[in-house]
Amino acid sequence: MLSDQELLRYSRQILLPQVDVDGQLRLKRSRALIVGLGGLGSPVALYLAAAGVGELHLADFDSVDLTNLQRQVLHDTPSVGQGKVDSALARLAALNPEVVLRPLRGALDADSLAAAVAAVDLVLDCSDNFTTREAVNAACVAAGKPLVSGAAIRLEGQLSVFDPRSEGSPCYHCLYGHGSEAELTCSEAGVVGPLVGLVGSLQALEALKLLTGFGEPLVGRLLLVDALTSRFRELRVRRDPQCPVCGARHGQ
């Protein structure tokens, strides 16, 4: 059930026929894991907390640095030097005390990542390195949990949804393979703040669609954002039957 306060707090999205009271209840009963509380994780955490997702599991081992504040809007100047998880806990609790917040402060190894993924309904990868993305993808495939993956660097962004519950869905590895260890990070290549805000907001939207069951998620589609020209492109992405990560799950 939703309390009178909850009905009032979420009234504007409950007005949407795609959400309604039933959808809001589904959000209240949902649990989501956010991996990374930086430029992408900031809007993801803020919007999912504001929308009333019942439990948010917050994973980040890093601390807030002054250089983060240009794009990581979850944190503020007084939180510099503080752990990002602790900074996020304070901000999100103030935004919506109805949401249960579960901190995951340390680096996640294979076992702890598997346990973290198993404990939720959906995972949002907001990390900034290929190694973490590959590990999160493998854990989601093994647990059969949908993954909303976003990335942004310089003036380019990408977004897709990988859902192992869907027979035709690719996984992250199908799309990117083994990647490149030489991949640049924002601290090396730079990024414009509103771009990560845009991609992170779209990740939050995809998560709400998956958790409530409305709309068409970006499964099998890769959304490309060109901030320089303000253009969006969409590519179809097929599952690789020989993928070493998800191929066996689908009986290959």
Side-chain angles (χ1 to χ4, degrees), residues 190-249:
V191 68
V192 65
L195 175 62
V196 291
L198 173 61
V199 174
S201 295
L202 289 171
Q203 284 184 268
L205 177 60
E206 290 299 308
L208 294 179
K209 287 158 63 178
L210 287 161
L211 292 173
T212 57
F214 75 84
E216 181 186 353
L218 274 170
V219 176
R221 298 182 288 151
L222 176 67
L223 185 66
L224 302 174
V225 182
D226 182 349
L228 192 61
T229 60
S230 296
R231 287 190 171 93
F232 291 76
R233 286 196 302 140
E234 183 182 296
L235 303 178
R236 304 297 297 188
V237 182
R238 298 182 183 275
R239 185 175 68 84
D240 178 6
Q242 305 303 318
C243 176
V245 177
C246 73
R249 181 177 179 84

Side-chain angles (χ1 to χ4, degrees), residues 10 13 24 27 46-53 96 208:
Y10 309 123
Q13 66 190 29
Q24 193 62 53
L27 288 180
L46 289 166
Y47 276 117
L48 293 189
V53 174
N96 190 353
L208 294 179

Side-chain angles (χ1 to χ4, degrees), residues 1-246:
M1 293 289 291
L2 296 172
S3 67
D4 290 343
Q5 279 291 102
E6 288 173 315
L7 288 169
L8 184 59
R9 178 184 286 271
Y10 309 123
S11 59
R12 297 303 184 268
Q13 66 190 29
I14 289 174
L15 283 170
L16 297 170
Q18 295 89 347
V19 179
D20 207 346
V21 172
D22 287 342
Q24 193 62 53
L25 280 169
R26 283 194 287 273
L27 288 180
K28 183 176 181 178
R29 296 167 182 152
S30 296
R31 300 159 298 168
L33 168 64
I34 305 172
V35 181
L37 297 170
L40 297 172
S42 287
V44 164
L46 289 166
Y47 276 117
L48 293 189
V53 174
E55 279 190 25
L56 293 179
H57 298 219
L58 309 171
D60 201 311
F61 62 86
D62 203 2
S63 298
V64 180
D65 187 82
L66 184 61
T67 60
N68 299 152
L69 302 185
Q70 161 257 357
R71 64 197 179 280
Q72 300 183 17
V73 295
L74 186 58
H75 315 294
D76 55 21
T77 301
S79 66
V80 170
Q82 188 177 16
K84 288 185 179 179
V85 168
D86 295 309
S87 171
L89 289 173
R91 177 72 180 93
L92 298 175
L95 176 64
N96 190 353
E98 305 282 355
V99 173
V100 176
L101 303 172
R102 307 287 189 195
L104 298 168
R105 294 182 177 88
L108 297 174
D109 59 19
D111 290 339
S112 58
L113 179 58
V117 169
V120 299
D121 304 301
L122 174 144
V123 179
L124 298 108
D125 183 1
C126 304
S127 64
D128 64 355
N129 67 87
F130 181 79
T131 301
T132 300
R133 292 174 189 149
E134 272 278 82
V136 170
N137 175 67
C140 287
V141 170
K145 301 296 174 73
L147 170 63
V148 183
S149 178
I153 196 166
R154 297 191 181 100
L155 292 163
E156 300 172 350
Q158 298 183 1
L159 175 73
S160 191
V161 173
F162 307 106
D163 192 346
R165 302 172 302 178
S166 173
E167 182 69 25
S169 174
C171 76
Y172 181 89
H173 192 88
C174 293
L175 179 58
Y176 294 102
H178 291 288
S180 170
E181 293 303 322
E183 183 178 303
L184 295 176
T185 64
C186 292
S187 61
E188 297 166 319
V191 68
V192 65
L195 175 62
V196 291
L198 173 61
V199 174
S201 295
L202 289 171
Q203 284 184 268
L205 177 60
E206 290 299 308
L208 294 179
K209 287 158 63 178
L210 287 161
L211 292 173
T212 57
F214 75 84
E216 181 186 353
L218 274 170
V219 176
R221 298 182 288 151
L222 176 67
L223 185 66
L224 302 174
V225 182
D226 182 349
L228 192 61
T229 60
S230 296
R231 287 190 171 93
F232 291 76
R233 286 196 302 140
E234 183 182 296
L235 303 178
R236 304 297 297 188
V237 182
R238 298 182 183 275
R239 185 175 68 84
D240 178 6
Q242 305 303 318
C243 176
V245 177
C246 73

